[in-house]
Amino acid sequence: MRTKDLTTVDLLLTEIDWLLICDPGMTVVKQGAVAVDGGTVVAAGSQRDLEARYRARETLPMSGHLVMPGLINTHVHAAMTLFRGIGDDLPLKTWLQEVIFPAEARHADDAFVELGTVLACAEMILGGTTTFCDGYFFEEAAARAAARAGIRAVLGQGVLDFPSPDLKDPSRARQRVEAFLDAARSWPPRLRPSLFCHAPYTCGPETLQWVKDLCRRQGLLFQIHVSETQWEVEEIETRYGRRPVFHLDHLGLLDPMTLCAHGVWLDPDEIALLAERGACLSHNVESNLKLASGVAPVPALIQVGVPVGLGTDGCASNNDLDLFSEMALTAKLHKATANDPTVCPARQVLRMATLDGARALGLSHAVGSLEPGKRADLIALRIDRPHLTPLYDPVSHIVYAARSSDVNHVWVDGRRVVQDGRLLTLDVPQLLCEAESVAVTVRSCGR
Ligand SMILES: [Zn+2]
């Protein structure tokens, strides 16, 4: 092909040692290239093929790197980075009621949420996460943080039936939510609003129904913690005479735009019902282990077709926002509990952190793979390292051997946000100083 026949694009990544497309067939390309234009993936495939079709305003040779879609964290309470390490080693109910809720009541305000979320975004982007799904309070502040950081996000405004940090009078929840959705109209397209009912035991049937109705009318993701502990299952059965998933279904809440977080204590009928309704699940393995909540029946959920993404949950119950460690633990834990090493193979787990995570957030048209037409959210990992050499199977290395610190470059919407391990969108030293100054107040209050 003559030079003048080449299509001009904004960016061409070439000489990629290994390219993971993360399409439904989980295509792997050795010696690959990616063409990006207008923030969108135009093509991803073999270097020879792409160099014959495209010329670029910017060409970046990526030898020594593996390139793949950015990871998707489907369940976070981002601002809780500022509570990392307070109240470790406690049961969930004690931890929530005696540590987290009082700390939030004392400290969580608009500025706290913006700072905590910026800190979370810095950690996530540097660790290869390009999309996160948040559920917290003051989500307008979380949106400002995500906009500054240059990350993609689904931001769920929290709704509870009792006073919360941004709503002292829960009877005004509808007005609070409407104000939030009004503010969201001015957000950049990569930020999407969502609503997050904390749990079936903190939100009554009426609240759950009006919030879900509003989500349906506006095409928003509805998020809720479900069946995280045995206590919750017993509590919901006592109150409503049904197990939690049947309770939600009875209220008409389950559909493909409902994302259930945790789902640890699901019985086989609840698993079948989630599949039948097309509802999605966020698997929060490290949080479930740290709080001794239990082990979610992930292999059974995947077997019946429930889309399962990975989530870190908040920093106070993890205690980091690292999806590489979530992938490794997910792949290993379910093998041990099933006494079967063929369970949760690496390809399936990588899919959970990418394509299925996108599906769980209602974003499979936009992210989760490097198929043409999707947004150019890309990460490049250095693979010329002792723990990644030799490399026989790149998917195996991503799940079982790579670390978040191997992430060297990151693009969101085709815009470079990390270069050579350095975050370009935020002043990290300044951010750490600000976080330290908030910690002084948290410490002085005894948390
Ligand atoms: Zn959570």
Side-chain angles (χ1 to χ4, degrees):
M1 190 180 277
R2 291 164 303 168
T3 310
K4 69 182 176 63
D5 295 328
L6 297 178
T7 304
T8 303
V9 294
D10 290 337
L11 175 66
L12 189 63
L13 304 182
T14 59
E15 299 173 35
I16 299 167
D17 288 22
W18 292 95
L19 173 64
L20 309 186
I21 310 275
C22 294
D23 54 347
M26 294 304 275
T27 306
V28 173
V29 181
K30 192 164 173 12
Q31 225 35 56
V34 180
V36 173
D37 197 56
T40 300
V41 175
V42 175
S46 85
Q47 178 183 337
R48 212 170 55 177
D49 178 35
L50 264 70
E51 284 182 349
R53 289 159 54 200
Y54 301 100
R55 74 174 147 217
R57 293 175 191 94
E58 183 185 15
T59 299
L60 292 175
M62 301 296 296
S63 67
H65 287 82
L66 176 153
V67 171
M68 59 181 282
L71 302 176
I72 296 176
N73 190 339
T74 56
H75 185 67
V76 198
H77 313 292
M80 293 180 85
T81 46
L82 294 171
F83 292 139
R84 189 188 329 246
I86 67 166
D88 285 338
D89 311 327
L90 293 170
L92 179 110
K93 220 168 143 235
T94 317
W95 174 76
L96 262 185
Q97 289 175 357
E98 293 177 23
V99 180
I100 295 302
F101 287 159
E104 285 174 338
R106 205 172 291 139
H107 304 291
D109 60 15
D110 187 85
F112 179 98
V113 170
E114 180 167 352
L115 176 60
T117 307
V118 170
L119 189 61
C121 290
E123 179 183 353
M124 287 191 279
I125 296 171
L126 286 167
T129 295
T130 53
T131 298
F132 73 102
C133 179
D134 200 40
Y136 209 59
F137 313 105
F138 299 102
E139 283 293 296
E140 297 91 338
R144 290 198 300 276
R148 282 168 59 193
I151 197 168
R152 187 178 309 283
V154 177
L155 301 163
Q157 171 63 33
V159 180
L160 288 167
D161 277 347
F162 54 87
S164 60
D166 63 354
L167 189 65
K168 303 300 172 212
D169 175 6
S171 73
R172 296 187 54 79
R174 286 173 199 257
Q175 289 93 321
R176 174 72 191 92
V177 162
E178 275 162 23
F180 164 73
L181 294 175
D182 271 350
R185 286 184 230 288
S186 62
W187 293 356
R190 67 169 197 283
L191 305 182
R192 294 187 175 216
S194 158
L195 298 176
F196 166 52
C197 281
H198 174 265
Y201 60 92
T202 48
C203 296
E206 193 192 332
T207 303
L208 294 172
Q209 282 181 313
W210 74 254
V211 174
K212 179 62 191 180
D213 283 349
L214 185 54
C215 285
R216 256 194 203 112
R217 283 203 303 276
Q218 301 206 13
L220 309 177
L221 184 73
F222 173 83
Q223 306 176 53
I224 185 163
H225 292 129
V226 182
S227 293
E228 184 174 2
T229 60
Q230 273 177 306
W231 171 85
E232 175 188 333
V233 175
E234 286 158 19
E235 178 70 17
I236 297 302
E237 278 188 314
T238 305
R239 280 195 216 172
Y240 305 111
R242 294 181 177 86
R243 291 180 64 88
V245 171
F246 281 90
H247 171 58
L248 299 186
D249 189 57
H250 179 70
L251 299 174
L253 265 53
L254 299 180
D255 65 29
M257 284 297 275
T258 289
L259 176 62
C260 302
H262 302 299
V264 174
W265 295 96
L266 302 173
D267 74 8
D269 291 338
E270 289 179 294
I271 293 170
L273 184 56
L274 286 173
E276 200 181 317
R277 298 288 183 255
C280 305
L281 192 105
S282 176
H283 180 37
N284 306 148
V285 63
E286 287 192 35
S287 173
N288 296 155
L289 292 184
K290 182 161 183 280
L291 291 164
S293 300
V295 178
V298 166
L301 286 156
I302 290 175
Q303 197 175 14
V304 295
V306 175
V308 179
L310 298 182
T312 53
D313 211 357
C315 253
S317 62
N318 189 301
N319 288 354
D320 60 35
L321 304 175
D322 182 344
L323 282 177
F324 283 91
S325 61
E326 298 288 331
M327 281 195 282
L329 191 55
T330 298
K332 291 168 190 164
L333 177 70
H334 295 287
K335 290 170 171 52
T337 51
N339 194 25
D340 178 357
T342 68
V343 160
C344 282
R347 267 167 185 68
Q348 191 174 76
V349 173
L350 176 60
R351 214 184 136 107
M352 292 164 77
T354 54
L355 194 58
D356 287 349
R359 212 173 137 202
L361 301 186
L363 293 178
S364 54
H365 61 286
V367 289
S369 69
L370 300 182
E371 294 166 279
K374 289 202 183 183
R375 303 306 295 165
D377 292 2
L378 302 155
I379 61 175
L381 287 83
R382 288 284 301 265
I383 51 172
D384 50 353
R385 302 197 164 182
H387 64 282
L388 298 175
T389 306
L391 190 160
Y392 303 108
D393 175 356
V395 176
S396 166
H397 269 20
I398 287 298
V399 173
Y400 292 117
R403 302 165 189 159
S404 55
S405 54
D406 298 324
V407 174
N408 199 34
H409 308 292
V410 179
W411 292 261
V412 176
D413 272 341
R415 171 194 180 204
R416 178 104 72 128
V417 290
V418 174
Q419 182 170 8
D420 298 315
R422 199 170 60 83
L423 188 56
L424 302 177
T425 49
L426 298 167
D427 180 346
V428 175
Q430 170 67 23
L431 174 60
L432 303 188
C433 285
E434 290 173 33
E436 280 297 348
S437 67
V438 169
V440 170
T441 321
V442 174
R443 268 188 213 107
S444 70
C445 294
R447 49 181 70 117

